[in-house]
């Protein structure tokens, strides 16, 4: 993919129309809206990654939510899943604040970027395998561009895990075969990309599995704020990012 830097990639992503079903859905949701947001202009397009171009920690979700990121245009912004994620990031010192309501709310991430393997909101939060595969080149290119600084990754949920491992392999990292199954608390090392010329210690990354921050998990207590903070702290540690204890 002939794309220069991350900013150019992000711009290209927002114009993608490769998946007819998802294009139709994201635009229909943007037209019909949810009553609570009737006076807002929905983004209604693919959502690029959010966070600095030299991030050492990457968080990989599933896909934008219809009335969350598909409305605001920023990953995990404007919905309950994002409320949980950003609160935890702020609790451990990786975000400037614990709320995310709009793309211009001033929120900053410290050394962290958030992305997803599918960039358009899918009906029922379920992209098809074809849609997942169609979107993979965007994630692969994002990983290649982040490679000089990337040290650790948190993958939220089994879908993200299954979608991300082939993307890491395509971006050059050594992914074990057979591919390890997703589990909350899973941790594995992906060996350095061969072409990077880096010694393993500096080019390898640590991959962490974490239950997704969906309401299905957080409302039922399957994923508690402390469980999420624990994974984020461990991943930040692997990424060389400072964290703070909670409550601080
Ligand atoms: Fe393009 Fe990905 Fe959206 Fe499909 S899901 S239209 S590949 S950005």
């Amino acid at each position: 993919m002939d794309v220069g830097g991350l900013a150019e990639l992000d711009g290209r992503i927002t114009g993608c129309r490769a998946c007819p079903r998802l294009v139709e859905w994201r635009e229909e949701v943007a037209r019909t809206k949810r009553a609570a947001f009737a006076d807002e202009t929905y983004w209604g397009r693919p959502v690029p990654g959010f966070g600095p171009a030299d991030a050492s920690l990457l968080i990989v979700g599933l896909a934008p939510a219809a009335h969350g990121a598909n409305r605001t245009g920023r990953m995990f912004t404007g919905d309950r899943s994002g409320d949980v994620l950003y609160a935890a990031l702020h609790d451990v010192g990786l975000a400037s604040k614990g709320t995310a309501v709009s793309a211009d709310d001033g929120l900053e991430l410290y050394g962290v970027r958030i992305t997803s393997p599918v960039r358009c909101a899918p009906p029922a939060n379920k992209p098809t395998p074809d849609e997942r595969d169609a979107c993979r080149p965007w994630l692969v290119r994002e990983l290649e561009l982040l490679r000089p600084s990337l040290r650790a990754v948190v993958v939220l949920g089994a879908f993200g895990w299954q979608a991300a491992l082939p993307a890491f392999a395509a971006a050059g990292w050594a992914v074990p075969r057979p591919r390890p199954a997703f589990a909350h608390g899973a941790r594995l090392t992906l060996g350095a990309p061969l072409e990077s010329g880096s010694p393993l210690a500096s080019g390898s990354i640590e991959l962490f599995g974490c239950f997704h921050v969906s309401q299905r998990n957080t409302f039922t207590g399957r994923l508690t704020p402390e469980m999420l903070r624990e994974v984020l702290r461990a991943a930040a540690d692997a990424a060389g990012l400072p964290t703070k204890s909670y409550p601080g």
Side-chain angles (χ1 to χ4, degrees):
M1 186 183 292
D2 183 20
V3 174
L6 259 184
E8 188 185 337
L9 177 75
D10 291 347
R12 289 266 301 273
I13 287 171
T14 62
C16 183
R17 303 182 67 83
C19 307
R21 185 184 81 118
L22 298 189
V23 171
E24 192 182 334
W25 175 252
R26 76 191 192 204
E27 293 179 355
E28 188 195 325
V29 170
R31 271 192 308 274
T32 54
K33 305 181 184 180
R34 177 178 282 169
F37 308 121
D39 58 348
E40 293 190 24
T41 301
Y42 274 50
W43 174 252
R45 289 191 272 157
V47 180
F50 169 48
D54 60 352
S56 54
L57 173 57
L58 182 67
I59 297 174
V60 180
L62 191 169
H67 302 280
N70 187 55
R71 174 173 59 90
T72 63
R74 197 177 68 189
M75 287 283 168
F76 283 101
T77 297
D79 63 24
R80 295 283 179 86
S81 300
D83 291 347
V84 172
L85 178 61
Y86 287 112
L89 284 167
H90 181 249
D91 288 345
V92 300
L94 296 172
S96 61
K97 52 186 181 175
T99 56
V101 294
S102 66
D104 60 358
D105 61 8
L107 171 65
E108 274 185 80
L109 299 178
Y110 304 138
V112 179
R113 188 171 166 94
I114 303 177
T115 194
S116 66
V118 174
R119 312 286 177 149
C120 295
N125 286 324
K126 286 200 177 105
T128 66
D130 283 351
E131 290 161 352
R132 177 199 61 200
D133 293 348
C135 211
R136 182 171 300 133
W138 294 126
L139 179 58
V140 172
R141 189 64 189 130
E142 188 172 24
L143 293 174
E144 289 169 348
L145 290 167
L146 287 169
R147 195 157 63 193
S149 58
L150 192 62
R151 297 292 173 269
V153 181
V154 174
V155 182
L156 300 173
F159 180 94
W161 186 267
Q162 280 152 15
L165 288 183
F168 280 102
W173 277 278
V175 177
R177 286 240 173 226
R179 291 192 178 130
F182 170 79
H184 181 86
R187 175 175 181 164
L188 66 137
T189 303
L190 304 185
L194 292 177
E195 69 271 30
S196 74
S198 320
L200 197 69
S202 63
S204 62
I205 54 173
E206 293 293 300
L207 197 69
F208 295 79
C210 180
F211 288 140
H212 195 276
V213 288
S214 66
Q215 291 181 65
R216 196 184 325 154
N217 289 334
T218 57
F219 277 21
T220 57
R222 187 167 190 239
L223 177 68
T224 65
E226 183 49 29
M227 288 166 68
L228 180 56
R229 287 193 291 265
E230 261 176 39
V231 176
L232 292 175
R233 254 190 236 106
D237 199 39
L241 295 172
T243 56
K244 63 185 177 91
S245 55
Y246 175 84

